[in-house]
PDB file of all heavy atoms in Angstrom:
ATOM      1  N   ARG A  82      -8.818  64.779  13.753  1.00  0.00           N
ATOM      2  CA  ARG A  82      -8.554  63.776  12.694  1.00  0.00           C
ATOM      3  C   ARG A  82      -9.213  64.173  11.514  1.00  0.00           C
ATOM      4  O   ARG A  82      -8.648  64.063  10.296  1.00  0.00           O
ATOM      5  CB  ARG A  82      -9.000  62.434  13.194  1.00  0.00           C
ATOM      6  CG  ARG A  82      -8.451  61.260  12.325  1.00  0.00           C
ATOM      7  CD  ARG A  82      -9.093  59.879  12.918  1.00  0.00           C
ATOM      8  NE  ARG A  82      -8.356  58.768  12.254  1.00  0.00           N
ATOM      9  CZ  ARG A  82      -8.673  57.580  12.448  1.00  0.00           C
ATOM     10  NH1 ARG A  82      -9.704  57.232  13.144  1.00  0.00           N
ATOM     11  NH2 ARG A  82      -7.981  56.592  11.837  1.00  0.00           N
ATOM     12  N   ARG A  83     -10.496  64.689  11.495  1.00  0.00           N
ATOM     13  CA  ARG A  83     -11.213  65.023  10.297  1.00  0.00           C
ATOM     14  C   ARG A  83     -10.468  66.295   9.640  1.00  0.00           C
ATOM     15  O   ARG A  83     -10.335  66.310   8.343  1.00  0.00           O
ATOM     16  CB  ARG A  83     -12.601  65.405  10.668  1.00  0.00           C
ATOM     17  CG  ARG A  83     -13.540  65.696   9.458  1.00  0.00           C
ATOM     18  CD  ARG A  83     -15.010  66.029   9.977  1.00  0.00           C
ATOM     19  NE  ARG A  83     -15.609  64.848  10.555  1.00  0.00           N
ATOM     20  CZ  ARG A  83     -15.995  64.916  11.828  1.00  0.00           C
ATOM     21  NH1 ARG A  83     -15.897  65.883  12.618  1.00  0.00           N
ATOM     22  NH2 ARG A  83     -16.671  63.790  12.327  1.00  0.00           N
ATOM     23  N   ASP A  84      -9.911  67.162  10.377  1.00  0.00           N
ATOM     24  CA  ASP A  84      -9.253  68.325   9.899  1.00  0.00           C
ATOM     25  C   ASP A  84      -7.986  67.869   9.148  1.00  0.00           C
ATOM     26  O   ASP A  84      -7.597  68.446   8.104  1.00  0.00           O
ATOM     27  CB  ASP A  84      -8.925  69.332  11.019  1.00  0.00           C
ATOM     28  CG  ASP A  84     -10.104  70.073  11.532  1.00  0.00           C
ATOM     29  OD1 ASP A  84     -11.229  69.957  10.732  1.00  0.00           O
ATOM     30  OD2 ASP A  84     -10.120  70.613  12.603  1.00  0.00           O
ATOM     31  N   LEU A  85      -7.249  67.020   9.777  1.00  0.00           N
ATOM     32  CA  LEU A  85      -5.983  66.547   9.212  1.00  0.00           C
ATOM     33  C   LEU A  85      -6.342  65.781   7.846  1.00  0.00           C
ATOM     34  O   LEU A  85      -5.462  65.906   6.876  1.00  0.00           O
ATOM     35  CB  LEU A  85      -5.324  65.529  10.157  1.00  0.00           C
ATOM     36  CG  LEU A  85      -4.553  66.071  11.370  1.00  0.00           C
ATOM     37  CD1 LEU A  85      -4.059  65.087  12.242  1.00  0.00           C
ATOM     38  CD2 LEU A  85      -3.426  67.008  10.881  1.00  0.00           C
ATOM     39  N   ARG A  86      -7.346  65.015   7.866  1.00  0.00           N
ATOM     40  CA  ARG A  86      -7.731  64.295   6.572  1.00  0.00           C
ATOM     41  C   ARG A  86      -8.043  65.310   5.530  1.00  0.00           C
ATOM     42  O   ARG A  86      -7.650  65.158   4.416  1.00  0.00           O
ATOM     43  CB  ARG A  86      -8.934  63.384   6.904  1.00  0.00           C
ATOM     44  CG  ARG A  86      -9.216  62.495   5.712  1.00  0.00           C
ATOM     45  CD  ARG A  86     -10.366  61.515   6.107  1.00  0.00           C
ATOM     46  NE  ARG A  86      -9.903  60.528   6.990  1.00  0.00           N
ATOM     47  CZ  ARG A  86     -10.657  60.040   7.978  1.00  0.00           C
ATOM     48  NH1 ARG A  86     -11.877  60.461   8.137  1.00  0.00           N
ATOM     49  NH2 ARG A  86     -10.110  59.107   8.822  1.00  0.00           N
ATOM     50  N   LYS A  87      -8.806  66.355   5.920  1.00  0.00           N
ATOM     51  CA  LYS A  87      -9.231  67.362   4.925  1.00  0.00           C
ATOM     52  C   LYS A  87      -7.919  68.099   4.409  1.00  0.00           C
ATOM     53  O   LYS A  87      -7.790  68.474   3.148  1.00  0.00           O
ATOM     54  CB  LYS A  87     -10.177  68.372   5.591  1.00  0.00           C
ATOM     55  CG  LYS A  87     -10.674  69.421   4.593  1.00  0.00           C
ATOM     56  CD  LYS A  87     -11.549  70.478   5.396  1.00  0.00           C
ATOM     57  CE  LYS A  87     -12.124  71.643   4.457  1.00  0.00           C
ATOM     58  NZ  LYS A  87     -12.943  72.562   5.131  1.00  0.00           N
ATOM     59  N   GLU A  88      -7.022  68.444   5.277  1.00  0.00           N
ATOM     60  CA  GLU A  88      -5.872  69.013   4.898  1.00  0.00           C
ATOM     61  C   GLU A  88      -4.962  68.290   3.915  1.00  0.00           C
ATOM     62  O   GLU A  88      -4.359  68.766   3.013  1.00  0.00           O
ATOM     63  CB  GLU A  88      -4.957  69.351   6.223  1.00  0.00           C
ATOM     64  CG  GLU A  88      -3.771  70.207   5.858  1.00  0.00           C
ATOM     65  CD  GLU A  88      -2.936  70.407   7.205  1.00  0.00           C
ATOM     66  OE1 GLU A  88      -3.532  70.509   8.263  1.00  0.00           O
ATOM     67  OE2 GLU A  88      -1.699  70.684   7.138  1.00  0.00           O
ATOM     68  N   ARG A  89      -4.909  66.924   4.235  1.00  0.00           N
ATOM     69  CA  ARG A  89      -4.154  66.044   3.315  1.00  0.00           C
ATOM     70  C   ARG A  89      -4.808  66.003   1.881  1.00  0.00           C
ATOM     71  O   ARG A  89      -4.206  66.027   0.930  1.00  0.00           O
ATOM     72  CB  ARG A  89      -4.136  64.688   3.861  1.00  0.00           C
ATOM     73  CG  ARG A  89      -3.090  64.370   5.028  1.00  0.00           C
ATOM     74  CD  ARG A  89      -2.778  62.888   5.257  1.00  0.00           C
ATOM     75  NE  ARG A  89      -3.987  62.104   5.469  1.00  0.00           N
ATOM     76  CZ  ARG A  89      -4.389  62.074   6.799  1.00  0.00           C
ATOM     77  NH1 ARG A  89      -3.739  62.504   7.770  1.00  0.00           N
ATOM     78  NH2 ARG A  89      -5.484  61.282   6.914  1.00  0.00           N
ATOM     79  N   MET A  90      -6.135  65.996   1.916  1.00  0.00           N
ATOM     80  CA  MET A  90      -6.814  65.913   0.651  1.00  0.00           C
ATOM     81  C   MET A  90      -6.662  67.127  -0.214  1.00  0.00           C
ATOM     82  O   MET A  90      -6.470  67.120  -1.442  1.00  0.00           O
ATOM     83  CB  MET A  90      -8.483  65.722   0.832  1.00  0.00           C
ATOM     84  CG  MET A  90      -8.621  64.239   1.369  1.00  0.00           C
ATOM     85  SD  MET A  90     -10.419  64.072   1.762  1.00  0.00           S
ATOM     86  CE  MET A  90     -11.192  64.164   0.107  1.00  0.00           C
ATOM     87  N   GLU A  91      -6.614  68.310   0.477  1.00  0.00           N
ATOM     88  CA  GLU A  91      -6.373  69.608  -0.242  1.00  0.00           C
ATOM     89  C   GLU A  91      -4.979  69.732  -0.714  1.00  0.00           C
ATOM     90  O   GLU A  91      -4.878  70.209  -1.773  1.00  0.00           O
ATOM     91  CB  GLU A  91      -6.751  70.817   0.853  1.00  0.00           C
ATOM     92  CG  GLU A  91      -8.168  70.917   1.099  1.00  0.00           C
ATOM     93  CD  GLU A  91      -8.402  72.083   2.176  1.00  0.00           C
ATOM     94  OE1 GLU A  91      -7.365  72.416   2.834  1.00  0.00           O
ATOM     95  OE2 GLU A  91      -9.485  72.382   2.397  1.00  0.00           O
ATOM     96  N   LYS A  92      -4.073  69.188   0.063  1.00  0.00           N
ATOM     97  CA  LYS A  92      -2.669  69.060  -0.375  1.00  0.00           C
ATOM     98  C   LYS A  92      -2.490  68.282  -1.653  1.00  0.00           C
ATOM     99  O   LYS A  92      -1.757  68.629  -2.544  1.00  0.00           O
ATOM    100  CB  LYS A  92      -1.766  68.657   0.760  1.00  0.00           C
ATOM    101  CG  LYS A  92      -0.233  68.732   0.357  1.00  0.00           C
ATOM    102  CD  LYS A  92       0.585  68.272   1.609  1.00  0.00           C
ATOM    103  CE  LYS A  92       2.087  68.387   1.276  1.00  0.00           C
ATOM    104  NZ  LYS A  92       2.963  67.869   2.321  1.00  0.00           N
ATOM    105  N   ARG A  93      -3.209  67.052  -1.612  1.00  0.00           N
ATOM    106  CA  ARG A  93      -3.054  66.195  -2.841  1.00  0.00           C
ATOM    107  C   ARG A  93      -3.771  66.773  -3.958  1.00  0.00           C
ATOM    108  O   ARG A  93      -3.216  66.598  -5.102  1.00  0.00           O
ATOM    109  CB  ARG A  93      -3.785  64.786  -2.428  1.00  0.00           C
ATOM    110  CG  ARG A  93      -2.948  63.966  -1.381  1.00  0.00           C
ATOM    111  CD  ARG A  93      -3.796  62.728  -1.077  1.00  0.00           C
ATOM    112  NE  ARG A  93      -3.117  61.914  -0.056  1.00  0.00           N
ATOM    113  CZ  ARG A  93      -3.645  60.956   0.545  1.00  0.00           C
ATOM    114  NH1 ARG A  93      -4.995  60.621   0.294  1.00  0.00           N
ATOM    115  NH2 ARG A  93      -3.070  60.287   1.477  1.00  0.00           N
ATOM    116  N   SER A  94      -4.801  67.466  -3.742  1.00  0.00           N
ATOM    117  CA  SER A  94      -5.493  68.172  -4.875  1.00  0.00           C
ATOM    118  C   SER A  94      -4.569  69.195  -5.459  1.00  0.00           C
ATOM    119  O   SER A  94      -4.505  69.360  -6.800  1.00  0.00           O
ATOM    120  CB  SER A  94      -6.788  68.823  -4.379  1.00  0.00           C
ATOM    121  OG  SER A  94      -7.440  69.375  -5.465  1.00  0.00           O
ATOM    122  N   GLU A  95      -3.897  69.991  -4.681  1.00  0.00           N
ATOM    123  CA  GLU A  95      -3.126  71.049  -5.114  1.00  0.00           C
ATOM    124  C   GLU A  95      -1.862  70.385  -5.885  1.00  0.00           C
ATOM    125  O   GLU A  95      -1.421  70.922  -6.991  1.00  0.00           O
ATOM    126  CB  GLU A  95      -2.432  71.898  -3.908  1.00  0.00           C
ATOM    127  CG  GLU A  95      -1.565  73.030  -4.370  1.00  0.00           C
ATOM    128  CD  GLU A  95      -1.070  73.787  -3.109  1.00  0.00           C
ATOM    129  OE1 GLU A  95      -1.556  73.587  -1.971  1.00  0.00           O
ATOM    130  OE2 GLU A  95      -0.284  74.650  -3.369  1.00  0.00           O
ATOM    131  N   GLU A  96      -1.241  69.350  -5.302  1.00  0.00           N
ATOM    132  CA  GLU A  96      -0.149  68.658  -6.017  1.00  0.00           C
ATOM    133  C   GLU A  96      -0.508  68.088  -7.325  1.00  0.00           C
ATOM    134  O   GLU A  96       0.256  68.129  -8.315  1.00  0.00           O
ATOM    135  CB  GLU A  96       0.415  67.496  -5.066  1.00  0.00           C
ATOM    136  CG  GLU A  96       1.044  68.053  -3.806  1.00  0.00           C
ATOM    137  CD  GLU A  96       1.508  66.886  -2.964  1.00  0.00           C
ATOM    138  OE1 GLU A  96       0.977  65.744  -3.204  1.00  0.00           O
ATOM    139  OE2 GLU A  96       2.242  67.063  -1.941  1.00  0.00           O
ATOM    140  N   ARG A  97      -1.877  67.565  -7.378  1.00  0.00           N
ATOM    141  CA  ARG A  97      -2.294  66.989  -8.579  1.00  0.00           C
ATOM    142  C   ARG A  97      -2.481  68.079  -9.651  1.00  0.00           C
ATOM    143  O   ARG A  97      -2.205  67.844 -10.909  1.00  0.00           O
ATOM    144  CB  ARG A  97      -3.715  66.358  -8.326  1.00  0.00           C
ATOM    145  CG  ARG A  97      -4.214  65.569  -9.532  1.00  0.00           C
ATOM    146  CD  ARG A  97      -5.316  64.651  -9.132  1.00  0.00           C
ATOM    147  NE  ARG A  97      -6.380  65.218  -8.362  1.00  0.00           N
ATOM    148  CZ  ARG A  97      -6.631  64.939  -7.038  1.00  0.00           C
ATOM    149  NH1 ARG A  97      -5.821  64.167  -6.320  1.00  0.00           N
ATOM    150  NH2 ARG A  97      -7.684  65.579  -6.408  1.00  0.00           N
TER     151      ARG A  97
END
Side-chain angles (χ1 to χ4, degrees):
R82 191 181 195 187
R83 188 179 293 119
D84 289 343
L85 284 173
R86 185 175 295 146
K87 182 180 178 182
E88 184 180 335
R89 282 199 301 270
M90 291 178 65
E91 289 175 348
K92 184 178 180 181
R93 287 175 186 169
S94 177
E95 182 181 354
E96 290 173 349
R97 187 163 55 247

